[in-house]
């Protein structure tokens, strides 16, 4: 009996000792967790970067952020912790007790018991200055450091949530994700704007290709998705794509991300436009709901007033006009365009932006383009006298074209004739096989992810919505 009682007592002592030890060991929290009150009243540790230091007679105030949210956590410490190395931009580990704050603008604060400067930062050399709101053009010069700024850290959190929302949308709607290749032997767009891949150390002679055929960085995963749409009725991909465009415009990059989807057993453009519109709405609503502070930072300080534009875009169902109707709208306009507006011409950015403005600054679908303007895979509407393709573009305010898609030509004879016309029958013999073995009506589209971010945030330059922009004559890092 005595031995049993002793064992029971020792277990209780051990458990109490363990609890006491755990109470003393600081719990590692992210700033977002601390601000939400997750460790209130507990001994916690915060790791991050100093956003500001304010030394007073009675207290030292330090704001620390770790990138988990826009708001920084205020640290209250004794003046004895005012270390010369504790400066704006320095990396720190801080332990203390998380308590409720008396200040109305912050729910909690950390009473520091230990401050350790992990990495020093000389504020005189640091390109970003405390309490200064730098423009996006300025911070773009420092791709290795711009994640430390409020604006760009907000952008990256928004980008992360938007990407998650896109994947979630497709998952909930029965799409299977396909990892399409980055290295490819085809030019899906047919524009010839390709980066060719060559081995830095040729294996044999200079005439040999590493892959036995010329290989390129992909411009689109569409053709590979079409392959998979012959086995799965709904597929999508989300990954990097590349265009060798010698462009310095605000809408183009040499490397960017594309969201692409393909639907089998699809017979109308309306099937595609519904998915495009639903994806846009669901993703945007998710971002507005999950990143309110980050979005507000852009809409208040970077692109003032853009929140109203986003709400207008989400208010009503997207407009739909045919290409012919769009040309008539442009012809009746009093605006002088730099590019022609005759039937058969391709719509330029100036045309796209005017059409969106004409429709009340709401997203606009333009359908049924001239057949000769679209790639070989676009379905022939076989209408007369206007020869059009079952193609669609989604135009949005501030950006112009956001999505492009079409029904695909599933009729073997028509597809074969088109490939012969453009001299690609041998190159795409495998593509013809897709029409020989269980072909079905199908269609798909692609959306430029960076342009989407430009659209909802109102950012003028596409280089400011991607972590590491690649464009002609620039490949920093």
């Amino acid at each position: 009996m005595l031995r049993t009682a002793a064992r029971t007592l020792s277990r209780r002592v051990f458990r109490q000792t363990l609890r006491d030890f755990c109470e003393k060991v600081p719990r590692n929290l992210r700033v977002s967790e601390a601000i939400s009150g997750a460790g209130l009243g507990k001994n916690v540790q915060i790791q991050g970067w100093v956003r500001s230091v304010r030394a007073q007679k009675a207290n030292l105030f330090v704001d620390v952020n770790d990138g988990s949210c826009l708001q920084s956590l205020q640290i209250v410490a004794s003046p004895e912790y005012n270390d010369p190395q504790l400066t704006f931009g320095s990396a720190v580990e801080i332990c203390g007790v998380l308590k409720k704050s008396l200040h109305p603008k912050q729910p909690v604060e950390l009473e520091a018991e230990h401050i350790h400067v992990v990495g020093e930062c000389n504020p005189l050399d640091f390109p970003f200055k405390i309490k200064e709101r730098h423009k996006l053009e300025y911070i773009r010069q420092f791709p290795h450091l711009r994640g430390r700024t409020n604006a760009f850290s907000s952008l990256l959190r928004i980008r992360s949530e938007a990407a998650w929302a896109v994947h979630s949308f497709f998952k909930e709607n029965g799409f299977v994700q396909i990892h399409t290749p980055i290295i490819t032997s085809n030019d899906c767009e047919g524009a010839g704007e390709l980066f060719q891949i060559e081995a830095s150390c040729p294996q044999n002679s200079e005439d040999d290709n590493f892959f036995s055929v010329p290989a390129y960085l992909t411009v689109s995963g569409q053709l590979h998705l079409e392959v998979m749409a012959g086995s799965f009725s709904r597929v999508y991909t989300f990954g990097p794509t590349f265009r060798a465009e010698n462009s310095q415009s605000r809408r183009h990059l040499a490397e960017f991300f594309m969201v692409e989807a393909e639907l089998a057993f699809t017979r109308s453009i309306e099937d595609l436009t519904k998915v495009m519109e639903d994806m846009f709405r669901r993703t945007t609503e998710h971002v507005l709901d999950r990143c309110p502070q980050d979005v507000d930072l852009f809409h208040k300080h970077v692109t003032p007033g853009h929140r109203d534009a986003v709400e207008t875009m989400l208010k009503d169902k997207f407009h739909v006009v045919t290409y012919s109707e769009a040309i008539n709208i442009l012809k009746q306009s009093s605006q002088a365009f730099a590019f022609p507006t005759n039937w058969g011409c391709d719509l330029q950015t100036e045309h796209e932006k005017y059409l969106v403005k004409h429709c009340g600054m709401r997203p606009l679908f333009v359908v049924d383009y001239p057949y000769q303007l679209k790639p070989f895979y676009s379905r022939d509407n076989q209408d007369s006298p206007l020869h059009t393709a079952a193609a669609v573009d989604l135009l949005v305010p501030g950006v112009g074209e956001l999505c492009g898609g079409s029904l695909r030509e599933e009729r073997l004879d028509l597809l074969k004739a088109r490939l012969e016309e453009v001299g690609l029958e041998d190159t795409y013999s495998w593509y013809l096989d897709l029409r020989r073995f269980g072909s079905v009506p199908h269609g798909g589209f692609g959306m430029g992810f960076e342009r989407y971010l430009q659209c909802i945030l109102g950012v003028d330059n596409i280089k400011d919505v991607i972590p590491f922009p690649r464009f002609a004559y620039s490949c920093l890092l």
Side-chain angles (χ1 to χ4, degrees), residues 404-416:
S406 73
L407 298 181
R408 317 308 188 192
E409 185 57 80
E410 86 284 2
R411 295 162 293 187
L412 179 60
D413 56 337
L414 294 180
L415 180 60
K416 188 175 181 180

Side-chain angles (χ1 to χ4, degrees), residues 3 34 78 86 108 138 176 204 216 228 308 346 368 378 392 452:
R3 288 181 180 177
S78 169
L86 189 64
V108 297
Y138 174 76
V176 175
N204 299 306
Y216 312 93
M228 294 302 175
D308 292 339
D346 207 356
D368 297 338
S378 298
V392 56
Y452 166 76

Side-chain angles (χ1 to χ4, degrees), residues 309 312-322 325-330 333 335 347 350-367 393-397:
T312 298
M313 284 187 262
L314 297 175
K315 185 178 179 181
D316 298 317
K317 188 173 177 59
F318 294 177
H319 291 276
V320 182
V321 300
T322 65
E325 291 170 336
I327 289 297
N328 287 336
I329 292 171
L330 295 173
S333 167
Q335 181 172 323
L347 296 181
E350 60 174 349
H351 304 146
E352 295 167 348
K353 290 185 175 181
Y354 179 84
L355 291 169
V356 170
K357 183 179 179 181
H358 177 82
C359 292
M361 298 304 287
R362 290 184 173 88
L364 167 71
F365 288 114
V366 179
V367 301
D393 285 342
L394 172 60
L395 313 182
V396 294

Side-chain angles (χ1 to χ4, degrees), residues 45 102 124 130 138 146 186 212 229 249 258 267 284 333 360 386 388 419 429 436 457 468:
Q45 176 178 260
L102 298 177
L124 298 178
I130 191 170
Y138 174 76
R146 64 176 175 168
N186 68 67
S212 298
S249 82
M258 281 271 282
R267 292 177 170 82
T284 306
S333 167
L386 300 177
T388 63
L419 285 171
S429 58
R436 293 189 177 99
L457 296 177
F468 303 101

Side-chain angles (χ1 to χ4, degrees), residues 243-453:
R243 303 285 168 85
E245 292 180 291
N246 188 3
S247 172
Q248 295 292 329
S249 82
R250 298 173 183 269
R251 301 170 64 248
H252 296 91
L253 290 168
E255 178 185 17
F256 56 97
F257 280 71
M258 281 271 282
V259 179
E260 299 179 87
E262 203 73 23
L263 294 78
F265 301 98
T266 294
R267 292 177 170 82
S268 71
I269 284 290
E270 287 74 14
D271 293 337
L272 301 182
T273 58
K274 184 180 188 311
V275 176
M276 291 186 209
E277 182 169 348
D278 288 349
M279 179 184 66
F280 183 95
R281 290 182 181 278
R282 285 280 302 280
T283 302
T284 306
E285 288 166 357
H286 175 88
V287 168
L288 296 178
D289 179 61
R290 295 298 296 271
C291 304
Q293 290 184 325
D294 293 316
V295 172
D296 284 348
L297 181 145
F298 273 85
H299 290 171
K300 288 181 180 179
H301 302 293
V302 181
T303 54
H306 193 69
R307 181 60 179 258
D308 292 339
V310 175
E311 290 177 353
T312 298
M313 284 187 262
L314 297 175
K315 185 178 179 181
D316 298 317
K317 188 173 177 59
F318 294 177
H319 291 276
V320 182
V321 300
T322 65
Y323 169 87
S324 297
E325 291 170 336
I327 289 297
N328 287 336
I329 292 171
L330 295 173
K331 282 184 171 296
Q332 294 171 11
S333 167
S334 59
Q335 181 172 323
F337 296 107
F339 292 90
T341 57
N342 301 319
W343 199 98
C345 69
D346 207 356
L347 296 181
Q348 303 297 321
T349 302
E350 60 174 349
H351 304 146
E352 295 167 348
K353 290 185 175 181
Y354 179 84
L355 291 169
V356 170
K357 183 179 179 181
H358 177 82
C359 292
M361 298 304 287
R362 290 184 173 88
L364 167 71
F365 288 114
V366 179
V367 301
D368 297 338
Y369 279 81
Y371 185 68
Q372 293 301 322
L373 286 181
K374 294 302 175 180
F376 66 86
Y377 48 73
S378 298
R379 196 176 198 275
D380 189 343
N381 278 332
Q382 292 187 304
D383 48 6
S384 183
L386 300 177
H387 191 187
T388 63
V392 56
D393 285 342
L394 172 60
L395 313 182
V396 294
V399 172
E401 182 189 345
L402 175 64
C403 298
S406 73
L407 298 181
R408 317 308 188 192
E409 185 57 80
E410 86 284 2
R411 295 162 293 187
L412 179 60
D413 56 337
L414 294 180
L415 180 60
K416 188 175 181 180
R418 186 70 189 277
L419 285 171
E420 288 176 350
E421 178 186 336
V422 295
L424 294 174
E425 184 180 10
D426 292 338
T427 305
Y428 289 96
S429 58
W430 62 269
Y431 193 69
L432 293 173
D433 281 348
L434 298 178
R435 274 57 177 177
R436 293 189 177 99
F437 307 115
S439 178
V440 300
H442 62 287
F445 67 90
M447 180 186 79
F449 188 57
E450 282 73 28
R451 287 191 183 181
Y452 166 76
L453 294 172

